[in-house]
Amino acid sequence: MRILITGATGLVGSEITRLCHEKGISVNYLTTSKSKLEKSETFKGFYWNPGEGKIDEGCLEGVGAIINLAGANVFQPWTSSAKKKILDSRIDSLQLLHRLLKEHTHEVRQLVSASAIGIYPSSPTKMYEEDEQEVAGNFLGEVTRKWEAAADEIKETGIFVSKVRIGIVLAADGGALPQIIKPVKFNLGAALGSGQQWQSWIHISDLARIFLFLIQQGLEGVYNGVAPNPKTNEDLTREVALALDKKLWLPKVPGFALKLAMGDKSNIVLGSQLVSSKKIEDKGFDFHYVNLRKAIRDIMHKKTGN
Ligand SMILES: NC(=O)c1ccc[n+]([C@@H]2O[C@H](COP(=O)([O-])OP(=O)(O)OC[C@H]3O[C@@H](n4cnc5c(N)ncnc54)[C@H](OP(=O)(O)O)[C@@H]3O)[C@@H](O)[C@H]2O)c1
């Protein structure tokens, strides 16, 4: 079995690749960066440029499933050109894959495409399941809605499509955790806004396992990529402080100051999404990291090697 991964060189893609190799699955990957091209039998790189409609069609050789993660980083400052890049990179990538699958013979049966829990409107109390119809009325809502719609269009080629609404990924080398750790280490850790906003986190290794689970079980449709035990921003920050043997003694960072400093991007840290993992658990997925403390300690242990 061979899987084609777009965005394989990023945070989530690297973990999925590691897991594929552990399970004896070979990976083809599409990269926008020629310097990242490798050509080993189990990790074969192919160049593409979604904005210019360029793709190496050899990427489909021997491939049974595609995992799509590609997209410009959403954590960059949201200037109008960055917003355009964040949206266009995701839509162009899927449209190019769509065209490739339509125009070439292949054996691909399934596409598993990334999405994000930012599709759900911010709410302090509502528990979101995958059948929620309301979409957040902000930039992240617009991006995720159009991203999922572009993935769904690929069904027209006869391939079945699954989407993973990714939560706050906890990992050693990127994502939210290093950003929370940095100030806490210098005794400058503080909850953001009210601190009561829900943060539906997931350990990166469970997230990678969800992508492969959907392929191995042949499951289509939308699945939330979050752990069963969401926490508030204050609890998440406090757990990090505990793991580092530090205390949170500073006042919370006021929401208005974050809005002033970050503009609409403050939705990423101030938005509250309490998201359910029930659907994937009902399909038999078994989380290794249900408990936040265990997840944080595992990641910190891997980082420091202690
Ligand atoms: N990490 C999170 O907390 C989180 C949460 C929710 C959703 N997600 C989504 O899940 C996906 C994977 O996340 P990640 O954290 O692994 O992201 P990442 O580390 O930023 O990796 C994304 C990859 O996309 C490719 N890429 C960058 N700009 C591109 C462009 N303009 N056109 C096409 N490809 C481009 C890059 O690969 P090459 O350089 O090899 O082309 C990059 O390695 C992303 O789309 C992200 O939005 C992540």
Side-chain angles (χ1 to χ4, degrees):
M1 158 82 143
R2 189 173 277 277
I3 294 179
L4 172 65
I5 305 180
T6 76
T9 62
L11 181 72
V12 177
S14 305
E15 181 65 17
I16 296 177
T17 300
R18 195 196 58 70
L19 186 62
C20 283
H21 288 161
E22 196 179 286
K23 291 185 174 298
I25 299 169
S26 296
V27 170
N28 284 1
Y29 65 99
L30 282 162
T31 177
T32 56
S33 172
K34 287 184 178 160
S35 62
K36 294 183 191 164
L37 287 171
E38 287 180 37
K39 283 287 175 201
S40 84
E41 194 39 40
T42 55
F43 192 57
K44 224 182 253 184
F46 297 85
Y47 175 72
W48 71 339
N49 183 330
E52 292 178 5
K54 286 186 187 153
I55 190 163
D56 181 341
E57 63 205 49
C59 67
L60 288 180
E61 215 174 292
V63 167
I66 301 176
I67 291 177
N68 175 54
L69 306 165
N73 199 304
V74 294
F75 295 104
Q76 59 184 305
W78 282 4
T79 59
S80 52
S81 71
K83 279 181 162 178
K84 183 168 165 26
K85 200 168 157 195
I86 288 167
L87 178 60
D88 289 355
S89 59
R90 287 172 170 76
I91 307 303
D92 292 347
S93 300
L94 281 164
Q95 287 180 344
L96 189 53
L97 285 174
H98 191 166
R99 202 185 78 204
L100 184 78
L101 291 164
K102 228 168 143 168
E103 292 177 357
H104 294 271
T105 49
H106 61 80
E107 290 151 30
V108 178
R109 292 181 315 281
Q110 184 174 5
L111 165 73
V112 187
S113 196
S115 178
I117 60 167
I119 198 164
Y120 298 123
S122 179
S123 164
T125 49
K126 190 163 181 179
M127 170 68 90
Y128 285 113
E129 298 198 345
E130 290 83 343
D131 57 2
E132 174 62 41
Q133 293 304 307
E134 206 186 333
V135 171
N138 54 26
F139 176 61
L140 285 182
E142 180 196 352
V143 170
T144 43
R145 180 176 56 78
K146 291 183 175 167
W147 201 12
E148 291 195 6
D152 282 337
E153 279 172 24
I154 293 183
K155 289 181 193 163
E156 176 252 340
T157 64
I159 288 168
F160 67 92
V161 172
S162 337
K163 288 156 287 180
V164 181
R165 291 182 178 156
I166 302 175
I168 295 171
V169 179
L170 300 185
D173 298 317
L177 198 54
Q179 302 300 323
I180 303 173
I181 289 175
K182 226 183 291 170
V184 170
K185 256 189 183 163
F186 295 105
N187 289 316
L188 294 171
L192 305 178
S194 69
Q196 295 311 299
Q197 65 275 35
W198 287 103
Q199 305 222 293
S200 296
W201 59 275
I202 184 164
H203 188 297
I204 192 160
S205 87
D206 276 338
L207 179 62
R209 290 176 56 244
I210 286 180
F211 275 87
L212 287 196
F213 181 80
L214 293 177
I215 293 174
Q216 284 164 340
Q217 303 295 316
L219 294 173
E220 62 183 317
V222 185
Y223 289 87
N224 291 327
V226 297
N229 191 8
K231 290 283 179 192
T232 63
N233 171 265
E234 188 168 2
D235 286 345
L236 183 64
T237 315
R238 198 180 302 286
E239 278 300 336
V240 170
L242 255 172
L244 289 167
D245 213 11
K246 300 275 184 187
K247 280 205 171 85
L248 293 185
W249 54 271
L250 284 181
K252 292 168 189 146
V253 183
F256 75 83
L258 290 162
K259 279 184 198 144
L260 210 63
M262 298 171 76
D264 334 337
K265 212 179 103 180
S266 59
N267 285 323
I268 296 180
V269 289
L270 294 176
S272 177
Q273 277 99 9
L274 176 59
V275 179
S276 167
S277 58
K278 183 173 181 301
K279 184 174 173 187
I280 191 118
E281 288 184 279
D282 286 350
K283 295 289 180 191
F285 183 80
D286 180 25
F287 282 89
H288 289 174
Y289 296 94
V290 172
N291 179 286
L292 178 62
R293 188 166 299 177
K294 185 177 160 204
I296 291 177
R297 287 181 191 264
D298 172 75
I299 290 164
M300 287 187 175
H301 172 76
K302 280 186 185 134
K303 183 80 181 158
T304 57
N306 293 322

